[in-house]
């Protein structure tokens, strides 16, 4: 017969089962808690950004006899988390050295100010820091490290279409950021 203080093999099996159950529970909780950390680490690789859609600027015939840049407002859709926002951006339609239509962003490549066209100076003049740009967007003077940013544009069915993008400021090379 067994002594009263002797638990025996049944008690050991019960303890090992509870230990295994506790270990499995800890592993499961650890895995669940690690999911947000893994998603945080992989977010830059997996995120979905706003698709770059083309926006109509106007009919090509409107810009056939350009003598100075013309400001146009376009609408772009931006995806911010789950919310879609439609915003308006100003672009300038001008002609480049070869006489082809060119669309310029109105955002200054120095500090991001909106650069207006000055008809009296026949140049783009930034009100924030005094940079000036030629009618085709090339830098004339000021602290900006590059000229105004040209946007990708195409002609579809007689309409001038532009793909609006944001570019990094305070750098000499044109670098897309959004």
């Amino acid at each position: 017969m067994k002594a009263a203080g002797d638990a025996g093999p049944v008690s050991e099996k019960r303890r090992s089962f509870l230990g295994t159950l506790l270990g499995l529970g800890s592993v499961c909780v650890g895995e669940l808690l690690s999911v947000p950390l893994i998603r945080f680490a992989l977010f830059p690789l997996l995120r979905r950004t706003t698709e770059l859609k083309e926006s109509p600027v106007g009919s090509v015939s409107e810009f056939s006899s350009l003598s100075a840049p013309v400001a146009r407002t376009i609408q772009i859709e931006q995806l911010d988390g789950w919310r879609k926002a439609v915003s308006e951006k100003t672009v300038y339609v001008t002609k480049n050295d070869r006489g082809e239509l060119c669309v310029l962003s109105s955002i200054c490549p120095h500090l991001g100010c909106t650069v207006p066209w000055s008809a009296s100076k026949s140049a783009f003049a930034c009100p924030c820091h005094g940079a000036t740009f030629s009618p085709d967007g090339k830098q004339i003077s000021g602290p900006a490290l590059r000229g105004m940013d040209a946007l990708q544009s195409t002609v579809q069915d007689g309409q001038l279409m532009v793909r609006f993008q944001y570019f990094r400021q305070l750098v000499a090379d044109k670098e897309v950021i959004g």
Side-chain angles (χ1 to χ4, degrees):
M1 286 188 85
K2 291 188 178 185
D6 190 12
V10 173
S11 179
E12 287 178 25
K13 286 183 181 178
R14 197 174 293 152
R15 277 191 218 129
S16 66
F17 172 73
L18 289 176
T20 304
L21 189 62
L22 182 63
L24 284 173
S26 298
V27 168
C28 290
V29 168
E31 286 178 357
L32 288 174
L33 291 176
S34 68
V35 168
L37 294 174
I38 292 169
R39 287 193 61 187
F40 177 77
L42 296 178
F43 176 75
L45 301 174
L46 302 176
R47 73 176 180 182
R48 285 189 232 157
T49 59
T50 303
E51 287 183 32
L52 298 174
K53 295 181 182 176
E54 292 185 332
S55 303
V57 179
S59 174
V60 175
S61 60
E62 293 178 46
F63 309 115
S64 62
S65 60
L66 276 179
S67 59
V70 177
R72 290 287 189 254
T73 303
I74 61 169
Q75 292 185 344
I76 59 169
E77 280 186 5
Q78 293 175 306
L79 183 63
D80 182 20
W82 293 274
R83 188 186 74 166
K84 273 190 182 177
V86 177
S87 60
E88 292 186 345
K89 300 293 177 189
T90 302
V91 295
Y92 288 100
V93 180
T94 186
K95 290 189 176 181
N96 61 15
D97 296 340
R98 298 180 299 264
E100 301 167 337
L101 288 178
C102 177
V103 182
L104 301 174
S105 173
S106 65
I107 300 172
C108 183
H110 181 236
L111 294 177
C113 305
T114 301
V115 181
W117 169 253
S118 173
S120 62
K121 295 179 183 177
S122 292
F124 291 101
C126 183
C128 298
H129 58 267
T132 55
F133 305 94
S134 67
D136 61 352
K138 292 181 181 166
Q139 182 182 10
I140 297 172
S141 67
L145 299 175
R146 66 176 187 269
M148 293 176 72
D149 297 315
L151 300 170
Q152 186 179 21
S153 60
T154 58
V155 176
Q156 295 175 0
D157 299 326
Q159 287 285 322
L160 181 62
M161 305 293 281
V162 67
R163 183 172 287 168
F164 190 85
Q165 293 179 306
Y166 292 98
F167 300 97
R168 187 168 309 283
Q169 297 156 4
L170 294 172
V171 294
D173 296 327
K174 187 172 151 179
E175 183 182 333
V176 176
I177 58 171

